[in-house]
Amino acid sequence: MRNKIVAGNWKMNNDANQTEVFLNNLIKQSFNNNVKVMVSPSFTNLQKSVIILLDSEIEAIAQNMNESEKGAYTGEISPSMLKSVGVNRVILGHSERKAHYNENDQILNKKIKNALKNKIGIIFCFGEEINNRNSKKEFKVVESQLSNTLLNIHESDWNNIILAYEPVWAIGTGENATAKQAQEMHSFVRNWIKINYDKKISEMVPIIYGGSVKPNNALEIFSQPDVDGGLIGGASLKIDDFVEIINSF
Ligand code: PGA
């Protein structure tokens, strides 16, 4: 049985006070069994969040991390910095980082390896753009993203990997992938892992979906056999919506 996961991608939202209020409210909520809940406060609020969430099952994760272990990289955050404040997982490869900060597959491959080497788990995002889908190249594009970033990972490190299929055209647009489109891609990705690693790993890796997941579509998307949960942007900032999505399982 794979883990069910609902992770909030807060992006550049929630200041110190808003983070505190949100999380103090979130820990009072009751969730359906067996769903792993994660939130991703900004770097400035991570340590505080870890402390607030200490007695809960909710995990505070980071939104980014540098590809190097330390050094002259002004403004960047290293794996040991995250670990030193109790953060053990990071979102990597989000399309907004590709679009605005020039992250490419080569950099992402280094970031993935840096995280895994330092025992930081990852939620690794990938997904096609609308023109790829319109020209029926979505599988080809995703395959290339996976081949450029996820080959040569040590088999034991797959325990620390969550994959997130996030079609770029669905992020923040209100236009989600249909449950069928998500299932097709997740199944394709699982098969890619089976071919390039093995069946056991392919069956164990959680693959979550992100892109305009809302309370009214979460149940249908999450009930697909290869969809193990969601990476939630806008709706993770509203506590009632976020809790409803978590309890869609
Ligand atoms: P959205 O964002 O839910 O607002 O579409 C998803 C994401 O960016 O991970």
Side-chain angles (χ1 to χ4, degrees), residues 7-11 91 94-96 125 164-176 209-214 230-237 245:
N9 179 9
W10 284 7
K11 312 190 182 188
I91 299 170
H94 194 279
S95 67
E96 286 152 14
C125 308
Y165 170 51
E166 294 216 314
V168 179
W169 48 272
I171 297 175
T173 60
E175 189 195 345
N176 58 286
Y209 166 81
S212 297
V213 177
K214 307 285 178 211
L231 182 57
I232 320 298
S236 75
L237 298 170
I245 289 171

Side-chain angles (χ1 to χ4, degrees), residues 185-197:
M185 186 59 82
H186 286 221
S187 157
F188 175 81
V189 171
R190 221 176 276 296
N191 197 44
W192 182 90
I193 300 170
K194 189 172 150 194
I195 292 165
N196 290 283
Y197 288 90

Side-chain angles (χ1 to χ4, degrees), residues 4-21:
K4 294 169 177 159
I5 297 153
V6 176
N9 179 9
W10 284 7
K11 312 190 182 188
M12 199 170 71
N13 295 293
N14 286 337
D15 64 16
N17 186 49
Q18 290 165 325
T19 299
E20 202 170 324
V21 169

Side-chain angles (χ1 to χ4, degrees), residues 56-232:
S56 78
E57 299 280 306
I58 304 163
E59 187 179 348
I61 68 173
Q63 297 179 22
N64 183 29
M65 194 195 76
N66 192 262
E67 61 272 29
S68 299
E69 294 196 314
K70 63 180 206 172
Y73 303 103
T74 302
E76 290 293 303
I77 300 289
S78 72
S80 66
M81 289 172 187
L82 294 181
K83 294 199 88 166
S84 69
V85 296
V87 171
N88 295 304
R89 189 173 297 277
V90 62
I91 299 170
L92 292 179
H94 194 279
S95 67
E96 286 152 14
R97 296 216 48 92
K98 290 183 181 159
H100 305 308
Y101 305 101
N102 300 323
E103 283 193 6
N104 58 31
D105 289 351
Q106 286 64 43
I107 294 172
L108 289 173
N109 179 255
K110 288 187 188 156
K111 288 193 176 201
I112 291 169
K113 288 186 171 153
N114 198 26
L116 296 173
K117 181 177 164 202
N118 287 285
K119 304 288 172 230
I120 301 221
I122 60 171
I123 295 183
F124 180 66
C125 308
F126 56 89
E128 82 283 358
E129 311 227 5
I130 190 62
N131 60 322
N132 306 138
R133 185 164 278 271
N134 286 342
S135 53
K136 301 201 183 332
K137 293 215 171 74
E138 66 270 28
F139 295 106
K140 219 177 150 78
V141 167
V142 164
E143 179 166 27
S144 144
Q145 291 173 340
L146 300 179
S147 299
N148 289 338
T149 51
L150 286 176
L151 287 178
N152 306 317
I153 302 290
H154 202 280
E155 296 208 346
S156 61
D157 283 336
W158 278 92
N159 284 325
N160 266 332
I161 298 178
I162 297 166
L163 297 178
Y165 170 51
E166 294 216 314
V168 179
W169 48 272
I171 297 175
T173 60
E175 189 195 345
N176 58 286
T178 63
K180 183 168 172 274
Q181 287 170 325
Q183 169 56 27
E184 275 172 2
M185 186 59 82
H186 286 221
S187 157
F188 175 81
V189 171
R190 221 176 276 296
N191 197 44
W192 182 90
I193 300 170
K194 189 172 150 194
I195 292 165
N196 290 283
Y197 288 90
D198 66 37
K199 187 162 183 277
K200 217 168 115 209
I201 294 177
S202 77
E203 284 169 356
M204 175 271 295
V205 177
I207 308 177
I208 61 178
Y209 166 81
S212 297
V213 177
K214 307 285 178 211
N216 65 1
N217 59 25
L219 171 65
E220 199 191 351
I221 296 173
F222 292 174
S223 55
Q224 300 302 308
D226 286 300
V227 178
D228 303 308
L231 182 57
I232 320 298

